[in-house]
Structures are given as structure tokens and as C-alpha cells.
């Protein structure tokens, strides 16, 4: 039972259709999953809203299996009320006034956790929060 208010802006059917279209495009490129960092793309896909879209976000969309979202702990509530993602699809990393978890390492741990370490990944490279340096560091940590 979901104890959170429903603040979603589109239907579950629309979410499933969007996800299916993206999965088909990923498969057509011969890849196993796509790593998305741009907040507008994440918002379009799952409905997540936040007040600071320049923060680091990561969504992993595998050709098969559950979509995964990595977000700051502060944003977990927004993911619960704005998306169709289940608790096990939402991973948080810590960012507080006194502590900042390494978000790239957290990203790699999530990719490893869902079994995509040796997968062919498409990587979105034009995000304000994650660019070439993030990609290179993730690649280094995954290899």
C-alpha cells in the first residue's frame, strides 16, 4: 500500500509506453541499457520533479528489468510521490551540509548492483550535472 500522496502528472499506461519506446531505441542500437543524467529527460520518462535540476541525478533504463533511479537523499520523497518507481528502484546518495558522498562511486555501485558491469551502456553526455569527466570516471571505476 502506498502511503504517499499521488502527485503524478501522467498515467501508468503513459509511463509504460514511454519506457517501452526508450527500451526499443536502446535495443535497436545494440546496447543493454542507457544511463541518463539530464533532469528534463528523467522528468519526461518517469515524472520526477525537483527544485534544483542542476543536481546530480542518474537513471538507468535497461532493455529488460527494472528502471533504476539514483538521487540525493533529499529528493527521495519527490520520487515517491511523482513517479511510478517502487522503493527498490530508488537509490539515494547522501549530500548534507557536513558530508557529500561520491556520487560517481554511488552510480557505479548501482550499475554493479543491477548486474550491468559488463553491459554495453549508452551514456547521455550533454547533462549539466554529468559530462565527459563523469563518464570517464565511471568507465574507469567499472573497468
Amino acid at each position: 500500500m502506498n502511503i504517499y500522496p499521488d502527485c503524478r502528472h501522467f498515467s501508468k499506461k503513459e509511463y509504460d509506453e514511454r519506457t517501452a519506446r526508450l527500451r526499443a531505441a536502446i535495443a535497436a542500437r545494440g546496447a543493454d541499457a542507457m544511463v541518463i543524467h539530464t533532469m528534463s529527460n528523467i522528468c519526461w520518462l518517469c515524472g520526477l520533479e525537483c527544485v534544483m535540476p542542476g543536481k546530480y541525478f542518474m537513471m538507468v533504463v535497461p532493455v529488460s528489468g527494472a528502471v533504476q533511479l539514483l538521487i540525493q537523499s533529499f529528493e527521495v520523497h519527490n520520487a515517491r510521490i511523482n513517479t511510478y518507481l517502487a522503493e527498490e528502484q530508488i537509490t539515494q546518495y547522501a549530500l548534507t551540509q557536513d558530508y557529500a558522498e561520491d556520487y560517481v562511486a554511488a552510480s557505479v555501485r548501482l550499475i554493479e548492483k543491477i548486474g550491468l558491469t559488463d553491459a554495453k551502456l549508452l551514456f547521455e553526455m550533454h547533462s549539466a550535472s554529468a559530462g565527459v569527466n563523469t563518464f570517464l570516471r565511471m568507465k574507469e571505476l567499472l573497468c
Side-chain angles (χ1 to χ4, degrees):
M1 180 173 93
N2 187 356
I3 61 170
Y4 303 102
D6 187 349
C7 298
R8 298 176 193 126
H9 297 285
F10 50 85
S11 69
K12 175 76 164 77
K13 180 182 177 203
E14 178 68 20
Y15 167 73
D16 291 341
E17 289 171 354
R18 290 176 184 194
T19 304
R21 287 196 311 256
L22 179 56
R23 288 176 196 239
I26 295 165
R29 287 166 179 75
D32 301 304
M34 182 167 186
V35 178
I36 303 168
H37 288 102
T38 303
M39 184 58 195
S40 59
N41 291 338
I42 293 171
C43 181
W44 176 85
L45 184 63
C46 73
L48 180 66
E49 293 182 5
C50 76
V51 294
M52 296 185 66
K55 292 192 272 185
Y56 183 82
F57 295 87
M58 182 184 80
M59 178 168 267
V60 180
V61 180
V63 170
S64 63
V67 171
Q68 299 289 322
L69 178 66
L70 177 72
I71 56 176
Q72 289 179 6
S73 52
F74 179 77
E75 297 289 349
V76 170
H77 178 73
N78 292 330
R80 289 176 176 148
I81 65 172
N82 292 319
T83 75
Y84 291 99
L85 302 176
E87 284 293 322
E88 60 272 9
Q89 292 174 268
I90 302 168
T91 301
Q92 55 186 299
Y93 68 95
L95 182 64
T96 66
Q97 182 176 348
D98 302 318
Y99 175 75
E101 183 176 357
D102 180 349
Y103 59 84
V104 176
S107 300
V108 169
R109 282 193 304 274
L110 177 58
I111 290 168
E112 291 170 342
K113 177 182 146 189
I114 59 176
L116 293 174
T117 305
D118 296 321
K120 182 177 178 185
L121 303 174
L122 299 176
F123 193 92
E124 186 181 49
M125 301 288 280
H126 61 277
S127 169
S129 65
V132 174
N133 289 335
T134 300
F135 165 75
L136 293 174
R137 184 137 180 271
M138 287 177 74
K139 182 179 174 186
E140 177 184 319
L141 292 172
L142 283 168
C143 295

